[in-house]
């Protein structure tokens, strides 16, 4: 009889449950509020053929386009953690490394989406938006873009 009673109590303790209600077990993944752009380096030519600049709400990051054999490249501009559900101006400029000409220029207003990497009832909360840097269309949705090699 004792084994039958102790087994459910042991299982409840190991799964994070309590007799008074379920306790929330949170992981410790971190997250930053940010706006990101991802692209396929091959879309912009050979190795580091272009310079990609992402401007978000007055801040800017820049990097080269990457190697044509790399499946995905990314750039992110960090935002204040307390930015909340706001809309921020985003501008993308891609410049040719050879000629210095602008090959892509686009701007949008990004509505930030709340993210919870450890679950809704766990911290942190981050506010993010992600776009694809497309060689002809500029800033587009990442929907349908394979983000892994």
């Amino acid at each position: 009889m004792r084994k039958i009673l102790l087994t459910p109590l042991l299982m409840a303790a190991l799964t994070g449950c309590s007799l008074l209600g379920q306790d929330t077990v949170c992981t410790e993944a971190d997250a930053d509020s940010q706006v990101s752009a991802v692209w396929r380096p091959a879309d912009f030519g050979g190795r580091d053929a272009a310079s990609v600049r992402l401007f978000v709400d007055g801040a800017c990051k820049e990097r080269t386009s990457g190697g044509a054999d790399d499946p995905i490249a990314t750039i992110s501009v960090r935002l204040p953690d307390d930015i909340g559900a706001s809309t921020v101006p985003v501008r993308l400029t891609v410049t040719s490394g050879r000629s210095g000409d602008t090959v892509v220029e686009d701007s949008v207003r990004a509505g930030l989406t709340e993210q919870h990497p450890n679950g809704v009832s766990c911290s942190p909360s981050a506010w993010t938006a992600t776009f694809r840097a497309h060689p002809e269309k500029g800033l587009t949705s990442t929907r349908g873009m394979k983000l892994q090699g």
Side-chain angles (χ1 to χ4, degrees):
M1 177 85 170
R2 210 174 239 192
K3 284 185 182 181
I4 295 172
L5 181 60
L6 290 178
T7 301
L9 290 175
L10 180 61
M11 288 177 56
L14 292 175
T15 59
C17 297
S18 72
L19 296 176
L20 301 176
Q22 187 172 2
D23 292 332
T24 302
V25 178
C26 297
T27 58
E28 294 186 19
D30 197 15
D32 292 326
S33 293
Q34 63 188 9
V35 173
S36 302
V38 296
W39 65 90
R40 293 184 178 103
D43 289 345
F44 294 109
R47 176 159 296 283
D48 299 331
S51 175
V52 179
R53 285 182 209 89
L54 187 64
F55 302 86
V56 181
D57 202 27
C60 179
K61 287 283 183 134
E62 179 178 358
R63 68 162 285 185
T64 60
S65 58
D69 54 341
D70 295 336
I72 297 292
T74 185
I75 191 169
S76 298
V77 176
R78 193 159 192 285
L79 300 169
D81 288 329
D82 62 352
I83 194 161
S86 58
T87 301
V88 294
V90 178
R91 186 167 44 106
L92 170 74
T93 304
V94 181
T95 307
S96 169
R98 289 192 183 127
S99 67
D101 294 338
T102 299
V103 293
V104 177
E105 189 167 34
D106 194 16
S107 61
V108 297
R109 295 210 39 94
L112 302 176
T113 303
E114 189 172 20
Q115 304 293 319
H116 301 276
N118 299 312
V120 176
S121 60
C122 299
S123 64
S125 292
W127 295 91
T128 66
T130 303
F131 296 93
R132 175 179 182 189
H134 192 278
E136 288 95 29
K137 300 175 185 175
L139 292 166
T140 65
S141 170
T142 58
R143 186 165 302 187
M145 182 180 187
K146 186 177 175 186
L147 297 178
Q148 296 179 357

